[in-house]
Amino acid sequence: MKKIKRALAKFIFWFVYPGLRIIYPMTIHWEDKKATKKALKNPCVIFSNHTGYVEGLFMTRLLRKYHVWTFVGKDWYEKRKFNWLFRNLPYLSVDRKGGMDTEWLDKATARMKKGSSIYILPEGHTSPVGEPDEFKPGFLVIAKQSDSALIPMHISRKIKLFRHTDLVIGKPMNLDLHEKGRPSQVMKKHSEACRQAVIDLGAKLNDGSIK
């Protein structure tokens, strides 16, 4: 029965993708396609601004060839109607009200050790496109523990049905997550650098620097 459910989930996931590209039209831009695709051959931490609620579903399909996993709120992950689907697809549960619970970090690190990348939304909630809210530094802990590359992405506006959106995939960032200093301050500094990288990708798209 488990094998049947797993096969059914994968079929649904495969079947849905062409429809997603139609109902959520998107143009993909690369800041440095060669460098980023090279980095994506190994597990990476991919992050972006958070404009809406379909990004996790869309990105795991869009970046499927790179074995990208993402997080789903535990309240949704454990719903009876969806649990079998989430358990058999590239999703990890996260308790958004878990406070200091770090189980999600362990799950992500374990998945990366198996060769997968992680897509994460560091804001933790949706925000206006132009100026993302503060990035929570947990995603940097994943990158630090796995010694993986960080790849920023910028979503031009909220992904809505039948409305065109631009996605800019940035080049790998060169951050020293192991630098000496107070850990909280080091992570805060680098998380702000990552937030700024997302903003810069949007600016480059708007001024034509990225085609």
Side-chain angles (χ1 to χ4, degrees), residues 73-87:
K74 190 175 182 179
D75 50 332
W76 277 95
Y77 192 94
E78 294 186 348
K79 284 183 182 293
R80 188 174 180 180
K81 291 182 179 180
F82 303 113
N83 182 252
W84 71 274
L85 193 62
F86 287 135
R87 284 189 291 105

Side-chain angles (χ1 to χ4, degrees), residues 86-134:
F86 287 135
R87 284 189 291 105
N88 290 289
L89 292 176
Y91 294 99
L92 302 169
S93 67
V94 58
D95 186 355
R96 292 177 290 189
K97 300 178 182 179
M100 299 300 290
D101 181 23
T102 59
E103 183 182 7
W104 66 279
L105 290 172
D106 297 332
K107 290 177 181 177
T109 302
R111 179 50 57 184
M112 294 188 76
K113 287 180 178 179
K114 294 181 179 180
S116 299
S117 290
I118 296 293
Y119 170 62
I120 194 166
L121 298 155
E123 292 169 90
H125 56 264
T126 60
S127 67
V129 172
E131 191 71 21
D133 284 344
E134 180 181 0

Side-chain angles (χ1 to χ4, degrees), residues 22 24 62 100 142 178 196 205-206:
I22 293 172
Y24 296 116
L62 187 70
M100 299 300 290
I142 300 174
H178 297 277
Q196 189 59 51
L205 175 68
N206 292 332

Side-chain angles (χ1 to χ4, degrees), residues 154-193:
H154 172 83
I155 302 169
S156 66
R157 58 180 176 175
K158 185 176 181 179
I159 301 174
K160 288 186 176 181
L161 290 172
F162 304 110
R163 187 176 79 168
H164 178 265
T165 307
D166 289 287
L167 172 69
V168 185
I169 303 177
K171 59 186 177 183
M173 296 184 68
N174 183 25
L175 299 178
D176 181 9
L177 300 180
H178 297 277
E179 73 172 87
K180 295 180 180 180
R182 191 172 182 178
S184 60
Q185 293 180 347
V186 170
M187 289 301 176
K188 184 175 182 180
K189 179 184 74 172
H190 289 313
S191 62
E192 175 57 26

